[in-house]
Amino acid sequence: MSHLETCVGCGAVLPAIPDGAIHRYMTSSAACWSAFNELSLLEHGAFAALSVDAFAVHHPGTLSPQTTQSVAIHLMVLHGVLKRGFKPSQALWLRSRPGRPSQMSKHERFHWLTPPDLTHGITVSDVIAAATPLERSTRLESWVRAVYALWSAAHEAQIAAWFNQFVIAEKI
Ligand SMILES: [Zn+2]
């Protein structure tokens, strides 16, 4: 019987992958990172463009300049699509806007948002476990929306303010 491991990010309980790879700062179990990589290969629906954003904020890691920036930017992408009428196909553009060169140093732009409790609800492994491609696409969208909802309940005003300042405004 394989040993089960709880993901420190999303709380998914999955068979452990001893010495499995994980992302450098999106801290997760190796099984969770593996499920995310599998999803990237399988899924090509509209919301697939947001799976990296959902995974990143579901596995925020701990405070550092890099994680602070990562969480802020990925939340802005989700906010743009789920709350401001942008399309998933614009995710790459949304992701690139907040890091535009300006007088303001990248590390002054954002501060660490304390993650809400992210360890309940649908996870990337639930998406992968879907029986059919259609079901997988449906679960993928549910996962993206659910993870953003957890963050927005805690930090919506800050995410919206950053979005206005760093994505919408002509100049940073
Ligand atoms: Zn996880």
Side-chain angles (χ1 to χ4, degrees), residues 92-166:
L92 200 59
W93 182 81
L94 289 169
R95 227 173 270 138
S96 71
R97 289 287 284 176
R100 281 176 287 159
S102 83
Q103 305 272 357
M104 190 178 190
S105 120
K106 286 185 186 176
H107 294 308
E108 287 169 23
R109 297 178 194 185
F110 314 110
H111 59 260
W112 178 245
L113 299 180
T114 303
D117 181 2
L118 298 163
T119 60
H120 49 86
I122 185 168
T123 70
V124 66
S125 62
D126 297 319
V127 178
I128 285 294
T132 65
L134 179 61
E135 173 68 12
R136 192 173 60 235
S137 288
T138 305
R139 287 193 193 185
L140 172 59
E141 181 170 344
S142 301
W143 172 54
V144 169
R145 290 183 182 281
V147 177
Y148 183 74
L150 293 173
W151 278 96
S152 70
H155 298 294
E156 177 81 357
Q158 181 62 72
I159 300 165
W162 280 341
F163 191 86
N164 292 335
Q165 186 177 358
F166 297 108

Side-chain angles (χ1 to χ4, degrees), residues 13-32:
V13 180
L14 299 166
I17 303 177
D19 303 320
I22 63 167
H23 186 271
R24 200 156 40 85
Y25 56 82
M26 298 177 193
T27 314
S28 73
S29 66
C32 220

Side-chain angles (χ1 to χ4, degrees), residues 7-12 28-29 32 55 58-59 124:
C7 177
V8 69
C10 70
S28 73
S29 66
C32 220
F55 187 86
H58 217 174
H59 301 86
V124 66

Side-chain angles (χ1 to χ4, degrees), residues 58-97:
H58 217 174
H59 301 86
T62 53
L63 194 161
S64 73
Q66 201 157 29
T67 52
T68 296
Q69 183 154 318
S70 167
V71 167
I73 291 174
H74 290 296
L75 284 174
M76 279 184 270
V77 176
L78 296 174
H79 179 78
V81 174
L82 300 177
K83 300 291 173 100
R84 306 290 280 263
F86 286 83
K87 294 184 169 62
S89 60
Q90 292 171 292
L92 200 59
W93 182 81
L94 289 169
R95 227 173 270 138
S96 71
R97 289 287 284 176

